[in-house]
């Protein structure tokens, strides 16, 4: 790990509880779960109250892991997490609101290390069921949407990192962007 990554991670760890506190005003219910691979799923959520909730392609939001699950986690793994939230990119466009999709991969423990798996992805994969409600932050982040230039567009993505580009591609096709632009999407696993 380079110094910049370490400092950024340490800063995020120190500030994240303050930044995320009270930042989950959007409850949503699970309406569909689709297995994409053995460790990746697409989750469709429906906002309980979609008023004022909008996003653009490439944005993300934070999913808050319920406090009860965090407490069970702390007891099982002898950890002391206070609040857990993870960022996930939208994998659909806002034209589908009040529903939206997230693609989430299970973060398994690294082989050979005695550490627990990912808290949030474990919650999503083992505890979250159709009809369950979770809390989300407001959408955030930016992805540059280029103007219709008539020039080719090349997108390269891998794994669940394809989610924001799926949102972008869906948006472009909804708006006829492909009529004047060749679009190439290279996907790796």
């Amino acid at each position: 790990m380079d110094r910049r990554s370490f400092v950024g991670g340490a800063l995020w760890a120190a500030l994240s509880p303050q930044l995320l506190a009270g930042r989950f005003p959007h409850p949503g219910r699970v309406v569909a779960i689709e297995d994409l691979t053995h460790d990746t799923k697409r989750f469709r959520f429906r906002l309980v109250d979609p008023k004022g909730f909008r996003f653009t392609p490439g944005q993300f939001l934070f999913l808050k892991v319920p406090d009860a699950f965090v407490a069970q986690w702390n007891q099982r793994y002898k950890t002391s997490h206070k609040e857990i939230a993870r960022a996930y990119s939208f994998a659909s466009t806002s034209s589908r609101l009040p529903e939206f999709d997230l693609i989430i991969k299970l973060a398994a423990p690294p082989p050979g290390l005695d550490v627990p798996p990912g808290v949030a992805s474990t919650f999503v994969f083992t505890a979250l069921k159709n009809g369950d409600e979770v809390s989300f932050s407001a959408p955030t982040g930016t992805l540059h949407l280029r103007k219709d230039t008539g020039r080719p567009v090349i997108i390269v993505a891998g794994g669940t990192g394809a989610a924001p580009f799926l949102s972008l591609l869906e948006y472009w096709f909804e708006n006829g962007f492909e009529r004047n632009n060749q679009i190439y999407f290279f996907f790796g696993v």
Side-chain angles (χ1 to χ4, degrees):
M1 176 185 303
D2 68 11
R3 183 171 183 234
R4 188 182 325 179
S5 296
F6 176 77
V7 170
L11 183 60
W12 174 250
L15 294 177
S16 62
Q18 291 79 19
L19 293 174
L20 299 176
R23 303 287 308 253
F24 306 99
H26 302 289
R29 283 200 178 83
V30 178
V31 294
I33 301 172
E34 176 186 3
D35 290 329
L36 301 178
T37 69
H38 71 284
D39 64 353
T40 304
K41 295 183 182 192
R42 177 191 322 259
F43 292 84
R44 179 159 295 152
F45 296 93
R46 180 176 292 127
L47 293 165
V48 173
D49 180 10
K51 187 173 157 188
F53 188 95
R54 292 285 177 261
F55 66 92
T56 58
Q59 285 194 303
F60 62 92
L61 77 171
F62 285 90
L63 180 151
K64 183 181 183 302
V65 177
D67 294 338
F69 186 87
V70 173
Q72 292 171 354
W73 184 273
N74 285 338
Q75 185 175 19
R76 178 177 179 185
Y77 291 105
K78 309 295 186 243
T79 56
S80 57
H81 298 293
K82 303 265 186 272
E83 182 174 73
I84 303 278
R86 293 295 181 265
Y88 297 107
S89 295
F90 291 100
S92 58
T93 64
S94 59
S95 68
R96 295 185 186 200
L97 286 173
E99 294 183 353
F100 62 87
D101 292 351
L102 302 177
I103 296 176
I104 301 173
K105 181 176 180 173
L106 178 63
L113 296 178
D114 186 25
V115 297
V119 180
S121 66
T122 299
F123 162 71
V124 167
F125 270 70
T126 63
L128 201 56
K129 308 290 184 239
N130 278 322
D132 287 352
E133 189 174 298
V134 291
S135 297
F136 296 100
S137 70
T140 190
T142 57
L143 177 67
H144 178 71
L145 301 176
R146 70 174 237 184
K147 293 186 167 96
D148 186 350
T149 62
R151 294 176 43 205
V153 176
I154 299 171
I155 298 171
V156 180
T160 57
F165 298 107
L166 294 176
S167 177
L168 181 62
L169 287 167
E170 185 176 325
Y171 173 81
W172 279 343
F173 289 123
E174 287 174 354
N175 291 282
F177 188 82
E178 80 284 359
R179 287 190 297 260
N180 298 320
N181 300 272
Q182 292 178 332
I183 301 171
Y184 300 94
F185 180 49
F186 296 95
F187 177 72
V189 180

